[in-house]
Amino acid sequence: MVVKLSKAEKKVRYDKKLCSLLDEYGKVLIAAADNVGSNQLQSIRRGLRGDSVILMGKNTLIRRCIRFHTEKTGNKDFLNLLPLLVGNVGLIFTKGDLKEVSEEVAKYKVGAPARVGLIAPIDVIVPPGNTGLDPSQTSFFQVLNIPTKINKGTVEIITPVELIKKGDKVGSSEAALLSKLGIRPFSYGLIILTVYENGSVYTPEVLDLTEEDLAEKFAAGLSVVTSIALAISYPTIAAAPHMFINAYKNLLAVAIATEYSFPHAEKVKEYLKDPSKFAVASAPPDAADVVAEKPPAAPAEEEKEEPAEESDDDMGFGLFD
């Protein structure tokens, strides 16, 4: 015979379970569970079995257990979970990779019909085509201003129509029409809202960041820090190289404008006195070593000797002899 527990005993058992999970796990996914059925939730539990545990419950009870656990252990990091317990949410305790767990949770979405009074999570568009309904059903389409025609004894939608907009409530006419057309426009499942990891709280979009994204964001932040440090003349590791270079440029400028000098300034002064040295120094190594030689003058073309005029005599005979 199964012994039925009282409400007080259930709360004590729930408190022990939550406290043991807080002691064992350091990573928690806070997920919205609106319109998620019990069978669907069991499927998700089976999919995550091994390194993750899903805990559902009343927010007030979870808050009380977390406060009690914090007072008992002195670990105040879990207090960051309290502001996140708003609405119909559940806690997914995990030891696995957070990105992989969130992707596994996203697989268990189930299509659902548009029920009256629901807030549409997406735009619902009825596609054109034959509906298979007989002409007596045209009243549904007329109420919703959907252009139709009768084709081969059935109702055919002429153009695509945006039936419900995202954020609007589903009306009785829209729900009835979608049900007749066999359209299940919505899909529901656990939606990850926030990630808790060892005291840190951040949005799930962070899990999608790649190493290239992190390097790009770090470089952008480093550039901003360097710019601010240079603007206010505050030394930082990022700005120090630029500060040294700028200081060196100032010393060169002072040395050139005055009689003060130092070894590197002497080289600059020499370049300014004789710019040709700078041209030689800046030329490629191979080009600097090559000594420009004047190409030898091309020998004057020998005048071609004109051939001697042919003699009018040929073998002693004249032309008209």
Side-chain angles (χ1 to χ4, degrees):
M1 182 177 178
V2 179
V3 179
K4 188 176 181 180
L5 300 176
S6 64
K7 288 185 177 180
E9 291 173 338
K10 289 181 179 179
K11 288 182 178 180
V12 172
R13 178 173 294 185
Y14 187 89
D15 182 77
K16 290 182 179 179
K17 181 178 181 180
L18 178 55
C19 290
S20 64
L21 291 174
L22 293 174
D23 290 333
E24 185 177 356
Y25 296 87
K27 295 181 287 188
V28 184
L29 298 173
I30 295 85
D34 294 331
N35 303 302
V36 178
S38 58
N39 292 335
Q40 184 180 359
L41 189 59
Q42 289 300 325
S43 299
I44 299 174
R45 290 182 192 274
R46 287 193 294 269
L48 297 178
R49 187 171 296 167
D51 58 358
S52 302
V53 178
I54 300 177
L55 181 69
M56 307 296 294
K58 292 183 178 180
N59 294 339
T60 53
L61 180 59
I62 296 175
R63 291 194 190 98
R64 186 185 69 82
C65 293
I66 291 176
R67 291 192 182 97
F68 175 77
H69 182 270
T70 301
E71 294 175 358
K72 182 179 178 181
T73 61
N75 184 3
K76 297 183 179 180
D77 291 341
F78 288 110
L79 293 178
N80 295 330
L81 290 170
L82 298 182
L84 309 177
L85 300 174
V86 179
N88 185 18
V89 297
L91 302 179
I92 304 176
F93 295 86
T94 182
K95 294 180 180 178
D97 183 82
L98 291 171
K99 181 176 177 59
E100 293 179 0
V101 173
S102 62
E103 291 176 350
E104 183 67 23
V105 170
K107 293 179 182 178
Y108 294 89
K109 285 190 176 182
V110 177
R115 295 194 297 270
V116 179
L118 285 179
I119 303 298
I122 58 173
D123 296 332
V124 179
I125 298 176
V126 178
N130 198 314
T131 63
L133 301 176
D134 59 86
S136 63
Q137 306 291 331
T138 54
S139 58
F140 285 101
F141 300 95
Q142 292 173 356
V143 170
L144 299 170
N145 297 322
I146 298 176
T148 59
K149 67 178 181 179
I150 305 300
N151 185 14
K152 297 181 180 180
T154 57
V155 179
E156 181 178 336
I157 300 175
I158 300 174
T159 58
V161 178
E162 186 178 19
L163 187 63
I164 307 172
K165 291 184 178 180
K166 181 180 179 180
D168 293 345
K169 282 188 177 182
V170 179
S172 57
S173 300
E174 291 89 346
L177 177 61
L178 292 172
S179 177
K180 288 181 178 294
L181 295 177
I183 298 176
R184 299 166 67 89
F186 305 144
S187 60
Y188 298 107
L190 292 180
I191 301 174
I192 306 301
L193 300 177
T194 318
V195 180
Y196 170 90
E197 185 175 10
N198 299 321
S200 301
V201 177
Y202 49 87
T203 59
E205 287 77 11
V206 176
L207 301 177
D208 298 326
L209 293 176
T210 61
E211 293 183 359
E212 290 76 12
D213 296 330
L214 295 175
E216 183 179 351
K217 290 182 179 296
F218 178 80
L222 185 63
S223 177
V224 172
V225 171
T226 303
S227 300
I228 295 175
L230 291 175
I232 63 177
S233 299
Y234 184 82
T236 61
I237 296 177
H242 302 279
M243 290 181 171
F244 284 122
I245 292 174
N246 292 336
Y248 178 67
K249 290 179 180 179
N250 292 334
L251 287 176
L252 287 178
V254 172
I256 293 171
T258 62
E259 296 181 356
Y260 177 78
S261 183
F262 53 93
H264 290 286
E266 289 294 337
K267 294 182 180 180
V268 176
K269 289 182 177 182
E270 290 179 6
Y271 291 149
L272 293 176
K273 290 179 180 179
D274 187 2
S276 61
K277 294 183 178 180
F278 179 77
V280 173
S282 60
D286 295 340
D289 296 339
V290 175
V291 179
E293 296 181 357
K294 184 177 180 181
E301 295 183 359
E302 297 180 357
E303 296 181 358
K304 294 182 180 179
E305 296 181 0
E306 296 182 0
E309 294 182 359
E310 294 182 358
S311 174
D312 293 338
D313 299 332
D314 186 16
M315 300 295 291
F317 295 96
L319 183 58
F320 298 103
D321 290 344

